[in-house]
Amino acid sequence: AQQRWVEGAITLCLQWVTQNADAHGQAKKNGPLLWFVIFAFIGFVYALIRLVTIEYTSSILVSAGVFKATTYNDWVRKPLAPLIEAAFDTLLWLRGGHSP
């Protein structure tokens, strides 16, 4: 039963992507939202691969040239550093300290 459900879901997804779903025009109405979700997922996978495979010292925005390194540090890193440290300390406190 599970395999039949997955096959049906994949078939329906392909019909929606190609806008051939018989849902009284819903495929064309919801098409942009579907493509947004697909691109967001691809972006998430890219970010995850980038996070796991390479050690970066700067943001992708700096690498792409959107920000200069000093501007990024002043606008993003410095204001977020206390919040990240507080969140880390809170999680560490909730967990009960470091691992032995």
Side-chain angles (χ1 to χ4, degrees), residues 77-98:
R77 281 195 177 172
K78 287 181 184 176
L80 287 180
L83 297 173
I84 293 171
E85 288 177 10
F88 177 76
D89 291 339
T90 302
L91 290 173
L92 198 60
W93 175 77
L94 288 172
R95 186 174 181 269
H98 291 283

Side-chain angles (χ1 to χ4, degrees), residues 58-72:
S58 64
S59 169
I60 193 169
L61 298 174
V62 174
S63 300
V66 176
F67 288 113
K68 293 180 182 178
T70 56
T71 305
Y72 182 79

